[in-house]
Amino acid sequence: QVQLVQSGAEVKKPGSSVKVSCKASGDTFNSYAISWVRQAPGQGLEWMGRIPPMLRISDYAQKFQGRVTITADKSTSTAYMELSSLSSEDTAVYYCAGDRRGILTWGHGTMVTVSS
Amino acid sequence: EIVLTQSPDTLSLSPGERATLSCRASQSVGSSYLAWYQQKPGQAPRLLIYGASSRATGIPDSFSGSGSGTDFTLTISRLEPEDFAVYYCQQYGSSPYTFGQGTKLEIK
């Protein structure tokens, strides 16, 4: 089963961008997609998008279209999520998840705080 | 997109009791592509059930899922102290994936 290790917490200014990494191990990187899900403090889960196996074209939730970019580097088995034009509403824990046909196995999460 | 509505928002029960959590979809979830996750404070969600009724690896048989189409249920047959947490349903039959708002299972 895949294990996922995410990068550390970030503090960002409004209007800036953040890039969170997710390094996979324990399974063949090309055999599953990577999804990204966020959770604002005290709130529920919100799916942002995914990059499919074999790193074909990413699929994004409409809410984040134009503001999120999900990429992956096969050589290092690492996926990335970059979110731009940050506002205080983007303060959340960002999770990557191994995605086998939509069934998610979660990383530990990365806290992103947006504050002036 | 498919909207998932969970009920109740909060469920107060005692250890040893049976818990029944509901998840209703705004349209049919194709091929029962419905999962349940458990989340404890400060932790990532954990997969419990996928395909509406299949238990994930290592999940005790006190957890069971049922349903199809638009109505799904997670049942915990006999509550243990460690089962008190927030539970989310998720559909993955169509993009975007969507989650219910969660049911908080608390100790009565």
Side-chain angles (χ1 to χ4, degrees), chain B residues 46 48-49 55-64 80 82-83:
Chain B
R46 177 175 72 141
L48 300 174
I49 301 287
R55 268 188 303 277
T57 302
I59 302 303
D61 58 10
S62 58
F63 289 86
S64 62
E80 300 289 344
E82 60 269 24
D83 297 335

Side-chain angles (χ1 to χ4, degrees), chain A residues 35 39 45 47 50 59 95 99 101-104 106-107, chain B residues 37 39 43-45 47 50 88 90 92 95-97 99:
Chain A
S35 270
Q39 185 172 38
L45 302 167
W47 184 77
R50 68 196 289 264
D59 177 23
Y95 294 102
D99 176 349
R101 298 183 182 181
I103 302 164
L104 304 180
W106 303 70
Chain B
Y37 300 88
Q39 187 178 34
Q43 296 184 16
L47 175 67
Y50 63 93
Y88 294 95
Q90 174 224 352
Y92 52 96
S95 183
Y97 300 160
F99 294 89

Side-chain angles (χ1 to χ4, degrees), chain B residues 48-105:
Chain B
L48 300 174
I49 301 287
Y50 63 93
S53 60
S54 297
R55 268 188 303 277
T57 302
I59 302 303
D61 58 10
S62 58
F63 289 86
S64 62
S66 63
S68 64
T70 60
D71 288 291
F72 299 88
T73 300
L74 174 70
T75 302
I76 310 170
S77 60
R78 184 178 174 82
L79 285 166
E80 300 289 344
E82 60 269 24
D83 297 335
F84 291 90
V86 179
Y87 292 84
Y88 294 95
C89 59
Q90 174 224 352
Q91 70 80 23
Y92 52 96
S94 63
S95 183
Y97 300 160
T98 51
F99 294 89
Q101 82 279 12
T103 290
K104 182 179 181 180
L105 179 55

Side-chain angles (χ1 to χ4, degrees), chain B residues 17-38:
Chain B
E17 290 193 293
R18 180 185 185 91
T20 302
L21 287 67
S22 174
C23 177
R24 177 162 290 178
S26 60
Q27 55 189 279
S28 182
V29 176
S31 301
S32 295
Y33 288 148
L34 192 287
W36 290 93
Y37 300 88
Q38 176 194 68

